[in-house]
Amino acid sequence: MIVAEAVGRVLAACGAGTAFGVVGSGNFHVTNALVAAGVPFVAARHEGGAATMADAYARMSGRAGIVSVHQGPGLTNAMTGITEAAKSRTPLIVLAGEATEPQSNFHIDQSALAVAVGAVAMRVTGAGDVVERVVRAYQVAVGDRRTVLLNLPLDVQSTPCPDLDPTTLTARTTRLLTAAPPSAGPSASTATGSTPTLAGRSSGEPAGGEGSGPEPSPSTGVPSVEDGLLELVRALETARRPVFIAGRGARRARRELEELAERTGALLATSAVAKGLFRGSPWDLDVSGGFATPLTAELIRAADLVVGWGCALNMWTTRHGSLISPGTRVAKVDLDPAALKTHVPADVGVVGDVAEVARSLTARVRAGAPGYRSPELAGRIEAEGRWRAVPYEDESGGGRIDPRTLTIALDDLLPQDRIVSIDSGNFMGYPSMFLDVPDENGFCFTQAFQSIGLGLATAIGAAVARPGRLPVAALGDGGALMGLAELETVVRLGLPMVIVVYDDEAYGAEVHHFGPHGHPLDTVRFPPADLAAIARGHGLAAVTVTGPDDLAGVAEWTGGERDRPLLVHAKVTRERGSWWLEEAFKGH
């Protein structure tokens, strides 16, 4: 056994799920070792796609994502996906060959590259401690929810491991996994801080910046857990219009949050990445922020207490702070102490796991007034709580379909047991808010870095993680063309995917940002492209939609065998920007 093989076997012994990658000479042996040890491998057509697939897989499966890339250009090709994962606190391990000789054309400072985008850089240095190094990388990724680059120097990879056989390797791995896991520590690009008592998964929404909050304790820099709990109990007991906003760090805490909300009369909302968490509750306001319905925005603005649960309350979730009214108290519960002071600083903060804190508060809070809840408000939420209930004037015509009309029709046509993945762009609010999802495992939103072109790869990774659901990818024409290579991956994997392309023949966000000011737009507008023909060339079924009648082709596909993925090339109206884009531009 050589070091490269040991790396793959150790990760398999740690419990790695599916791995994604593009194989070259520098990651050939480690990838084959993963496969030989029973880890499924998905070959992407571009390293950027591979990294995003692994990111989405980790988000939707609850397991660490694994991506394997060649040294040098293999890693640089993957960097946008790695940056998205790092910013989102996705537990991801990037296995990268490393050319350590400065004379090599593949040589770059890979560790510096990783640290620059918020990932943790580690390295395997030899046969003697390969098991320890790989297990530590795995523990940091999973325990601290970090994206870890594990450099594999080419000369080290080929070193024999005379003291390792499969039995010894598995035993050593198991022993290390049961020991206290180390954290990323001060070598990480952003410290995660200490967790005084209530430990567990960390927030999925990264923090940044400074703010004021409760007086910190000298030892941790944040209030003690007990002090924070007591203050939050008082805030919940005195609030008359409380609203909970759950983020990625709360995705597995629905029951605990609903029990506390029932006791305190709180309404329930989420950030975009946790959409669907409270689906089915009569008090579910859906998504807070730029995507919020008029009713949701009204009710959050009127709240006297807003509690962010594993949610940084960033500019998107609060509409640049405008949803937090003057005089509204803000509380945050997060595993990352820095999150308590960022974006909208917390008046009350608790460092800890969302579910554990919620359980503790439920046991302490006295049941009192009904809070924000009333039969009249429940009726309003039922009648007005979704965007499709908000009246609009259908602007379809002239060979183009209104994206609202398109998406409402797709919501009715596609099976409800779905997993929706969204690319970035002017269009993104329509599928995000008009396509419903059954729960928090039905929505995958890789938007922390706001890169277009990640949507199709996101949908592939999500589909691999949740094979029982219909994968739906929602893309703009710009992002679709950027990620085009992965259409072959969709077909090769046999995924019964629906890919919806909202085609306005432009980078629509730029058109609607700069157009009203009279700037020339030739650089962000493009001639028509027959995306349906391109899809058919890759082996997909395809329909072109210019009006509601064209959606009959989608109905035919959903009612048929679904033996091929379907691309819906929708030529959408383009006269105006989306409502969420108008909100976003207020921050520019």
Side-chain angles (χ1 to χ4, degrees):
M1 186 184 306
I2 61 173
V3 165
E5 294 168 337
V7 172
R9 287 179 176 271
V10 172
L11 283 174
C14 285
T18 301
F20 302 80
V22 176
V23 175
S25 61
N27 64 325
F28 183 85
H29 294 299
V30 69
T31 306
N32 282 341
L34 283 166
V35 174
V39 176
F41 177 72
V42 173
R45 286 300 189 173
H46 190 278
E47 289 91 349
T52 300
M53 291 174 201
D55 181 2
Y57 173 85
R59 296 180 194 221
M60 295 293 103
S61 70
R63 306 176 73 176
I66 307 293
V67 60
S68 177
V69 298
H70 186 66
Q71 66 270 17
L75 180 61
T76 58
N77 278 349
M79 284 312 299
T80 298
I82 292 170
T83 304
E84 168 65 34
K87 284 180 172 289
S88 297
R89 296 292 290 269
T90 299
L92 182 70
I93 299 170
V94 183
L95 302 173
E98 183 182 29
T100 55
E101 289 294 328
Q103 296 82 5
S104 170
N105 59 315
F106 291 130
H107 176 71
I108 56 172
D109 190 340
Q110 296 188 171
S111 294
L113 193 64
V115 170
V117 302
V120 178
M122 297 183 177
R123 178 175 288 108
V124 172
T125 57
D129 62 353
V130 59
V131 177
E132 288 74 12
R133 297 255 176 174
V134 176
V135 170
R136 182 171 186 268
Y138 183 85
Q139 289 176 320
V140 169
V142 173
D144 288 354
R145 295 197 69 93
R146 300 300 300 273
T147 292
V148 176
L149 168 65
L150 187 58
N151 284 305
L152 307 175
L154 300 182
D155 56 339
V156 172
Q157 285 193 52
S158 59
T159 304
C161 300
D163 298 330
L164 281 184
D165 56 63
T167 301
T168 303
L169 180 146
T170 300
R172 190 183 298 178
T173 300
T174 302
R175 185 174 67 253
L176 290 167
L177 285 172
T178 56
S183 68
S187 62
S189 59
T190 56
T192 59
S194 59
T195 305
T197 304
L198 299 173
R201 55 184 185 276
S202 60
S203 165
E205 299 179 31
E210 292 296 331
S212 60
E215 195 66 29
S217 66
S219 59
T220 66
V222 296
S224 73
V225 170
E226 183 61 24
D227 287 348
L229 285 169
L230 290 173
E231 192 170 359
L232 188 47
V233 166
R234 287 191 291 269
L236 289 166
E237 289 179 342
T238 57
R240 293 295 173 263
R241 296 179 305 281
V243 172
F244 291 175
I245 303 178
R248 187 177 175 190
R251 280 172 53 89
R252 291 173 178 82
R254 172 174 178 160
R255 179 176 59 82
E256 291 85 356
L257 290 176
E258 284 189 326
E259 288 177 356
L260 180 61
E262 177 72 22
R263 195 163 181 81
T264 59
L267 304 182
L268 300 164
T270 70
S271 67
V273 293
K275 176 182 170 67
L277 179 63
F278 301 116
R279 189 64 76 246
S281 167
W283 309 109
D284 176 20
L285 302 181
D286 205 27
V287 175
S288 172
F291 291 163
T293 63
L295 176 62
T296 295
E298 172 193 330
L299 294 174
I300 294 175
R301 284 195 177 105
D304 59 359
L305 173 67
V306 171
V307 186
W309 298 91
C311 176
L313 298 179
N314 62 25
M315 62 180 180
W316 306 114
T317 307
T318 65
R319 290 190 180 179
H320 302 280
S322 67
L323 292 185
I324 309 297
S325 296
T328 299
R329 296 196 77 191
V330 174
K332 291 184 182 180
V333 177
D334 204 291
L335 201 61
D336 183 357
L340 305 182
K341 295 185 178 182
T342 57
H343 303 298
V344 179
D347 301 300
V348 183
V350 180
V351 176
D353 172 73
V354 165
E356 292 186 26
V357 171
R359 280 194 297 269
S360 178
L361 290 168
T362 300
R364 297 176 185 222
V365 172
R366 296 191 306 270
Y372 221 154
R373 301 183 177 190
S374 69
E376 294 77 17
L377 185 54
R380 285 195 69 193
I381 293 172
E382 183 178 9
E384 306 171 43
R386 297 290 179 269
W387 267 107
R388 63 181 296 161
V390 178
Y392 72 95
E393 183 177 345
D394 189 344
E395 298 177 351
S396 302
R400 293 190 172 272
I401 187 170
D402 190 308
R404 295 163 293 188
T405 303
L406 165 73
T407 316
I408 290 171
L410 289 172
D411 188 46
D412 292 337
L413 285 169
L414 299 177
Q416 287 299 305
D417 196 13
R418 62 184 68 147
I419 183 165
V420 179
S421 302
I422 312 291
D423 209 334
S424 190
N426 174 57
F427 78 95
M428 62 191 283
Y430 302 114
S432 294
M433 300 316 301
F434 288 90
L435 279 180
D436 204 6
V437 294
D439 52 36
E440 73 277 16
N441 295 314
F443 192 70
C444 195
F445 196 67
T446 48
Q447 296 291 334
F449 197 34
Q450 281 189 271
S451 172
I452 69 171
L454 305 186
L456 184 55
T458 297
I460 294 171
V464 172
R466 298 275 172 178
R469 297 192 173 193
L470 176 74
V472 180
L475 321 173
D477 54 306
L481 289 164
M482 281 188 181
L484 201 61
E486 303 305 345
L487 285 179
E488 188 277 334
T489 306
V490 174
V491 174
R492 172 166 35 89
L493 295 180
L495 299 175
M497 184 180 292
V498 177
I499 302 166
V500 185
V501 182
Y502 293 72
D503 183 9
D504 61 1
E505 296 168 9
Y507 293 138
E510 283 64 37
V511 167
H512 297 295
H513 191 175
F514 296 105
H517 302 289
H519 296 292
L521 300 173
D522 293 344
T523 56
V524 291
R525 284 181 169 157
F526 300 92
D530 192 343
L531 296 174
I534 293 172
R536 293 187 191 103
H538 281 80
L540 289 82
V543 296
T544 298
V545 177
T546 60
D549 291 345
D550 296 328
L551 288 163
V554 179
E556 182 180 345
W557 183 89
T558 58
E561 296 181 0
R562 305 184 202 170
D563 55 346
R564 290 191 294 166
L566 173 69
L567 185 134
V568 180
H569 178 199
K571 298 194 174 187
V572 297
T573 54
R574 53 188 180 179
E575 285 70 31
R576 67 186 68 198
S578 60
W579 87 94
W580 81 266
L581 198 67
E582 294 175 359
E583 290 291 340
F585 285 165
K586 292 177 182 178
H588 285 257

